[in-house]
Structure formats: C-alpha cells, structure tokens
Amino acid sequence: MEKLRPRVLVVSLGGTITMTPIASGGVAPALSVDQLLASVPGLADLDVELETVDFRQLPGASVTFDDVAALTVLVRRSLAAGVHGVVVIQGTDTIEETSYLLDLHHSGPEPVVVTGAMRNAAMAGADGPANLLAAVQTAASPAARDMGCVVVFADEIHAARRVRKTHSTAGSTFRSPNGGPLGYVVEGHPRMLVERLSRTPELRLGGSRPTVALVTVGLDDDGVLLHGLGSRVDGVVVAAFGAGHVPQRMVPALQELVAAVPVVLASRTGAGSVLTGTYGFPGSERDLVARGLIPAGFLDPFKARVLLHVLLAAGTDRDGIHAAFAAAG
Ligand code: ASP
C-alpha cells in the first residue's frame, strides 16, 4: 500500500517573515504563504503535502485575541479534516502570547508550530526560509506529537507555555528560561529532549471579550495606576519584583483592586516562579496571596495575562481561576 504523505497546513498572520520594502519607507507585510514557500530551498524535496491559507497580513503588534480565536477554529477544522500538523507564520513580537493562546485551545496530539523571522525577506541572511523549513519538518513529524503548540525558531523547539522573546533583534531571540528548549531540529528532523510534556486542559474562548490590564511594578511605585482600575477592567496581572513583591505603600491600592476583580501575581524577573510562603513583610508574596492575589507560578506576566483573559472570557469564577493558575503555573 502507498504510504500516506503527511499533510501540513501553513497559515500566515503576517510578520517580518512576510515583509518587503514599501515605497513610503521601511518594510511591511506583503508576501503570501505560497510566495514564501517558493523561496525555501529543500522544501520541495520533503515528502509532505502542503496546504496554504493567507489568513491575516498584520505586524505581530496588531494581532488580536479575535484573530487568534478565528485561527483556532481554522486549526481545529483542518485537523478534523485530516491535516497532520499546522504551521502558523506570524510576527515575532507577539509569538510568546499567541502561541500560548493557541496551546490553550489545542488538546489534540497534532503538532501546531509557530514560527516567523527576525530578518525580513529583503535582508542578507534572512532567517524566514530556514525557520519555515524547520517548522514544516516539525509539523510533519510524529516526534513532535503530544507537545501541544510549539515555537520553532533557529532550529530550536520551544514549548508555547514557556517560550519568551528575549532580544529585540537577534535571530536566537526565542528562549525558554525555565527549562530550556524541548528539542532541536537536527539535519531536518525534530529531536525531542523531553519525552513527555504536561498539557494544560483545553480551554475555549468564550463569547465575551474581557479587558485584562498588565501593571509592572517599579522602584518606589505608589500604585497610582491602580486607583479606580477595578471599574475599568475585568482582571489585572501584576508583574511584581522578584518572587512576587511590591512596595508596602502599594498594598492598600492592591487590596482595593482585588475586592473588585481577580488580580494575578507574576514576577517581572523573566524566569523562575513566584513564591507563596517565604517572605512575611507587608507587600511580600505571603501578604499579597493572603489578601487574595492569585500566584502565577512559573507563568510570566504576558502568559498570565493571556490565561486570565481566556478564563474570564469563559466566565470562570475566582476558585476556578485559582485552580487554573495552580495547574498551568
Ligand atoms: N515587528 C515584527 C512583527 O512582529 C517583528 C517580527 O516579525 O519579527 O511583525
């Protein structure tokens, strides 16, 4: 019997990988998926059947929750129709958030791979073709199954839940400070170093569109941005110092806020978990958790904001929000 060729859907949201120079100066999204695929050396030699969709043509900064919600519907339909894996091309600026959002909506075994480029198609050494090739190889491979949504970039494979954009221009910008990459693409094959990945139970984007604010704490912060915030937003993520600390004089404003909306406590450090039971001073993580803030664990503030958005959109109550962060963080 003839062996079935893996079918991979390649969907574009835009981003630098699709950008070329425009008359008014600078670069902007322009290339279609088919044009991009035609520029990838070695792609035609792969034993893969490619399907393409030009879904959006946006810089990463302008992708919305609604765009990703619509994309999850397309992904789900395509997988149900027999596609083996999906590659999403998009701007790197928001990959750490969109990939996690995709991950929260995908509980199946099929690889959903997000990639992009740091150097646009007109630049010497553009990284888009190499990233796209590695992404397709990953999406088509049984080795990448059961890992949820992953980000493939510079031949590294990162879990959506952990990956961060860590550099504004470097090609190796994507890193997983907590735990490192799940694997690498070696000689065209994904080689996973992690055999099993705990998956977050699938969540569905509900009908409502909550507003979740992200507030980063700074030196001598008096919490002025927090006053009245509870009447304007549906939830707040606080990117606190270190293991989850804020200045003492910020505590009353946080107390007021937590009475109005769910408030999640994450760390602004970029790696590590917030604590829950070590420090006892006013404004410490123990103090804030006792006042009702929800610890984000290892989830960074940006992913915590995505998770809180999804939970609020699904109408989750505070106990449910606590439980979801305990499981995901
Ligand atoms: N500004 C670009 C974007 O996110 C950056 C990139 O794609 O690398 O669309």
Side-chain angles (χ1 to χ4, degrees):
M1 217 170 77
E2 205 190 321
K3 203 173 141 250
L4 207 61
R5 297 174 85 202
R7 284 168 61 198
V8 172
L9 172 71
V10 185
V11 190
S12 177
L13 295 178
T16 291
I17 189 168
T18 68
M19 293 192 196
T20 54
I22 54 173
S24 54
V27 292
L31 299 174
S32 67
V33 182
D34 287 331
Q35 284 172 314
L36 278 174
L37 292 175
S39 73
V40 180
L43 190 67
D45 303 331
L46 295 186
D47 198 18
V48 174
E49 205 175 302
L50 293 170
E51 300 171 21
T52 60
V53 176
D54 291 295
F55 196 66
R56 299 284 188 273
Q57 207 175 52
L58 296 167
S62 293
V63 173
T64 65
F65 279 100
D66 282 344
D67 291 323
V68 182
L71 179 59
T72 64
V73 174
L74 173 69
V75 168
R76 202 172 289 132
R77 277 200 198 126
S78 305
L79 295 175
V83 157
H84 291 82
V86 176
V87 172
V88 176
I89 294 166
Q90 75 146 89
T92 60
D93 286 351
T94 47
I95 280 183
E96 52 190 311
E97 284 150 282
T98 56
S99 62
Y100 185 47
L101 196 47
L102 286 166
D103 192 51
L104 290 174
H105 293 84
H106 175 56
S107 58
E110 305 88 353
V112 174
V113 181
V114 184
T115 196
M118 292 299 285
R119 299 172 67 79
N120 69 68
M123 289 174 88
D127 52 342
N131 287 339
L132 190 46
L133 181 63
V136 170
Q137 287 163 333
T138 304
S141 170
R145 284 173 76 84
D146 296 311
M147 297 283 165
C149 180
V150 295
V151 173
V152 170
F153 219 93
D155 283 343
E156 294 184 349
I157 304 170
H158 293 269
R161 197 195 319 177
R162 299 285 179 233
V163 72
R164 302 293 313 266
K165 182 174 181 180
T166 64
H167 196 284
S168 58
T169 57
S172 56
T173 182
F174 287 99
R175 296 264 171 252
S176 298
N178 295 310
L182 296 175
Y184 296 87
V185 179
V186 182
E187 296 182 322
H189 301 284
R191 296 274 303 277
M192 307 310 288
L193 303 176
V194 172
E195 274 165 31
R196 287 181 66 81
L197 190 68
S198 67
R199 306 273 302 271
T200 312
E202 182 170 322
L203 297 165
R204 294 277 164 131
L205 258 182
S208 68
R209 287 289 171 268
T211 302
V212 179
L214 173 55
V215 178
T216 303
V217 178
L219 181 73
D220 200 18
D221 206 323
D222 61 2
V224 68
L225 291 178
L226 301 180
H227 294 297
L229 187 59
S231 61
R232 286 181 287 132
V233 301
D234 304 293
V236 177
V237 173
V238 176
F241 298 127
H245 305 154
V246 302
Q248 180 170 351
R249 65 182 181 141
M250 205 172 169
V251 173
L254 276 174
Q255 180 78 75
E256 187 188 308
L257 191 61
V258 84
V261 294
V263 183
V264 171
L265 181 66
S267 171
R268 67 172 212 172
T269 57
S273 172
V274 288
L275 299 177
T276 55
T278 299
Y279 293 91
F281 56 82
S284 68
E285 85 286 350
R286 274 181 75 104
D287 181 31
L288 298 177
V289 169
R291 291 174 194 274
L293 274 78
I294 301 161
F298 279 97
L299 277 190
D300 66 63
F302 307 104
K303 294 193 202 293
R305 179 173 171 270
V306 166
L307 180 58
L308 186 55
H309 176 105
V310 172
L311 293 168
L312 289 171
T316 315
D317 63 17
R318 289 227 192 173
D319 286 347
I321 293 173
H322 265 279
F325 271 92

